[in-house]
Amino acid sequence: MKYYDKLIFELSKEGRMGYSLPRPKDNLDTCDSIPANLRRSEAPLLPQVSEVDVVRHYTNLSQMNFGVDTGFYPLGSCTMKYNPKINEEIASMPQFAGIHPLQKNLPGIEAVYQGLDSALAAITGMKHFTFKPCAGAHGELTGLMIIREYHMSRGDMKRTRIIVPDSAHGTNPASAAVCGLEIVQVKSNANGLVDVEDLKPLLDDTIAGIMMTNPNTLGLFEKDIREIAQLVHECGGLLYYDGANMNPLIGTVRPGDMGFDVMHLNLHKSFSTPHGGGGPGSGPVGVCEKLVPFFKVNVSGFNGNFGVMLRAYAYILMLGRENVKMCGRLATLGANYIKESLKDCYKLPLAQVCKHEFVFDGLVNDGAREGVAGATTLDVAKRLLDYGFHAPTIYFPLLFHQAIMIEPTETESKETLDQFIEVMRTIAQEAAQDPDLLHTAPHNTPISRPDETAAARNPILKIWDECAC
Ligand SMILES: *Cc1c(COP(=O)(O)O)cnc(C)c1O
């Protein structure tokens, strides 16, 4: 146990201090200005530590974490690109950071909203965006409410069902359910794309629309999208675009041109805000012209997380019209490079050219033999941590049992990709020779394999009872 494995409360020593305040003029115990019923009867439970104790404790804790600033983070579906520090500088300017949500008459802020709205409209082919939604899933709910309102405004009350592909991100059916829509699943074909023949019989006058991600969660471009758009529109439905995978398309292809009517963007993913810890995010919703009046659906009291919008705007302006196109192209090149370099060691169920991410289905040779279990995707992911890489997304999408979903993003150099490929090959060899080494991984991290179910179901969030402080 290293000394910083202790809680800050366990470092406490009676009388040790990190600060000193001037003594109050009056003795507080006798101070009449604080009513007796508001005074503490006991001193607060605070650790008594020196400044250096605090600095070392939290600096060491911060280094037990993993972030895109410390290493490669190929977490599929999450677009963990490096976030330029200029974004942080701009978002923390007191002129922006110090504004109160109820403050009015702020032309500078208005200009940011308008500038970002037109940039996103140009990138996506939508007419306008609303910035209220605070995350992708919140954007999905907003977009679906817009679709529902649109049908209802036309007296078309039967449209209560929404089509969602079996490869969709879990938030898609979840948002549809929260919106009160019934989910109808459409299957993927052998190439991992929406099966148009399976879709056709689902289309009737009860269909509100379809939710699609393009490229989909397998990293594959839905090349039949124009035909799908025509079929859905012909039956009176609308098309919702889950824009979480917009990164490879920015500056090249627009959802509006594919036939989508409503969409969200995950500004924190594609447009660069740190998001490993789960927020704050921004999921602005864009719509085609005829849906602009339905922005009136009420999803949030305020105008979203402004700091994330500032970062996105700074990022777009910094790159400019020409460079922004390079992001998707380099991300796509990197993903295909890793895929082709590793497909002899990891099973590649869908071998075609991918966009910014792709999915392996476990190891080709997992080392299973008499009396020894083979290494699983979880084992590979845990072992990667020993080599200083964040694990890819695992066991998603649900179409494959041992899914490993890798998204390198454009900000990684070829050298980094080569190191990752080498480590993934080493792990494949280890699995073949000594799978137990993987079963017990990670070996070099502060903790090894926590009981993930217990940690989620019975988290220990307070230490008062456990520690004597
Ligand atoms: C991340 C993601 C979402 C959800 O976005 P949040 O901002 O996490 O709510 C939806 N769909 C896909 C494909 C995603 O990758």
Side-chain angles (χ1 to χ4, degrees):
M1 177 158 161
K2 299 189 192 79
Y3 78 97
Y4 57 80
D5 287 344
K6 292 189 168 176
L7 300 171
I8 189 91
F9 287 90
E10 295 171 311
L11 300 175
S12 185
K13 276 272 175 289
E14 186 71 33
R16 197 163 283 169
M17 267 194 277
Y19 72 101
S20 60
L21 293 175
R23 293 229 147 261
K25 277 207 209 81
D26 302 316
N27 182 346
L28 275 181
D29 288 341
T30 59
C31 179
D32 295 336
S33 57
I34 302 176
N37 65 336
L38 295 181
R39 286 186 220 154
R40 282 186 177 283
S41 54
E42 289 163 33
L45 267 179
L46 293 173
Q48 302 187 46
V49 283
S50 66
E51 181 173 324
V52 67
D53 290 336
V54 175
V55 169
R56 287 200 183 135
H57 183 72
Y58 288 105
T59 305
N60 283 312
L61 279 185
S62 76
Q63 290 177 3
M64 290 162 76
N65 206 346
F66 192 98
V68 78
D69 286 358
T70 53
F72 184 46
Y73 207 135
L75 194 66
S77 208
C78 296
T79 311
M80 305 301 282
K81 59 173 78 178
Y82 170 73
N83 305 292
K85 295 296 169 245
I86 181 102
N87 296 356
E88 297 309 312
E89 218 165 290
I90 289 171
S92 58
M93 281 166 69
Q95 293 90 329
F96 294 126
I99 298 168
H100 189 276
L102 293 175
Q103 222 165 319
K104 294 240 160 38
N105 295 327
L106 298 162
I109 304 299
E110 232 3 87
V112 172
Y113 278 115
Q114 278 172 19
L116 186 56
D117 182 32
S118 30
L120 298 182
I123 287 170
T124 58
M126 294 289 136
K127 184 71 182 171
H128 279 300
F129 277 80
T130 169
F131 292 94
K132 286 188 168 186
C134 293
H138 195 190
E140 291 167 20
L141 176 62
T142 308
L144 292 170
M145 285 166 73
I146 289 173
I147 290 178
R148 206 185 50 185
E149 283 292 312
Y150 166 77
H151 291 308
M152 286 179 11
S153 76
R154 305 166 79 236
D156 198 351
M157 312 307 261
K158 273 194 298 194
R159 297 192 183 268
T160 54
R161 296 170 0 117
I162 187 107
I163 299 172
V164 181
D166 57 5
S167 64
H169 194 265
T171 52
N172 289 193
S175 304
V178 171
C179 191
L181 295 164
E182 186 191 328
I183 294 122
V184 184
Q185 200 175 67
V186 59
K187 289 205 190 74
S188 302
N189 62 24
N191 296 323
L193 305 178
V194 166
D195 188 338
V196 181
E197 292 315 311
D198 192 56
L199 174 68
K200 282 179 185 165
L202 304 177
L203 296 169
D204 61 29
D205 62 1
T206 66
I207 293 299
I210 186 170
M211 296 182 87
M212 282 183 68
T213 313
N214 197 14
N216 64 23
T217 60
L218 299 163
L220 303 175
F221 190 80
E222 298 277 1
K223 57 186 175 40
D224 297 323
I225 185 60
R226 295 298 286 272
E227 186 188 354
I228 292 171
Q230 199 189 344
L231 289 167
V232 174
H233 282 149
E234 270 169 13
C235 99
L238 296 179
L239 280 89
Y240 184 89
Y241 181 81
D242 175 341
N245 288 352
M246 189 66 202
N247 203 43
L249 304 191
I250 298 169
T252 305
V253 178
R254 308 194 310 169
D257 299 335
M258 294 181 221
F260 286 95
D261 306 286
V262 192
M263 66 174 291
H264 78 260
L265 286 167
N266 302 58
L267 292 188
H268 45 288
K269 292 180 180 172
S270 320
F271 295 94
S272 198
T273 280
H275 58 285
S282 175
V285 166
V287 296
C288 60
E289 193 161 7
K290 74 173 174 203
L291 296 179
V292 174
F294 299 96
F295 277 157
K296 64 177 189 241
V297 296
N298 200 8
V299 293
S300 161
F302 291 104
N303 256 332
N305 288 317
F306 188 61
V308 184
M309 291 165 224
L310 276 173
R311 290 179 180 89
Y313 195 37
Y315 177 76
I316 292 170
L317 293 181
M318 179 187 74
L319 285 174
R321 190 183 284 269
E322 284 310 309
N323 292 328
V324 92
K325 291 182 191 171
M326 289 308 292
C327 299
R329 293 173 190 184
L330 290 172
T332 300
L333 187 61
N336 280 285
Y337 179 60
I338 296 177
K339 170 168 73 72
E340 294 304 310
S341 306
L342 289 175
K343 67 181 185 188
D344 59 324
C345 320
Y346 293 85
K347 285 183 211 146
L348 181 64
L350 296 161
Q352 62 263 53
V353 173
C354 64
K355 286 284 179 279
H356 62 307
E357 64 192 1
F358 65 93
V359 180
F360 284 133
D361 189 12
L363 285 149
V364 168
N365 180 357
D366 64 11
R369 52 184 182 270
E370 192 74 36
V372 180
T376 62
T377 279
L378 180 68
D379 298 328
V380 172
K382 294 288 185 191
R383 186 66 177 143
L384 264 173
L385 307 180
D386 280 336
Y387 289 101
F389 290 112
H390 196 282
T393 295
I394 55 172
Y395 301 110
F396 175 80
L398 307 177
L399 296 177
F400 308 108
H401 291 303
Q402 292 293 327
I404 307 176
M405 185 187 199
I406 298 175
E407 177 180 8
T409 86
E410 71 278 8
T411 56
E412 300 303 329
S413 65
K414 177 161 181 296
E415 289 73 25
T416 302
L417 302 186
D418 283 335
Q419 282 164 14
F420 177 73
I421 289 165
E422 196 188 309
V423 163
M424 286 290 279
R425 300 191 72 85
T426 304
I427 293 174
Q429 272 170 18
E430 290 173 349
Q433 287 155 11
D434 182 9
D436 276 337
L437 178 68
L438 271 66
H439 297 154
T440 48
H443 304 280
N444 306 334
T445 51
I447 54 169
S448 185
R449 289 200 187 199
D451 178 337
E452 288 172 18
T453 313
R457 301 256 161 88
N458 306 307
I460 301 169
L461 300 175
K462 66 182 181 59
I463 44 79
W464 307 112
D465 309 335
E466 288 84 19
C467 105
C469 33

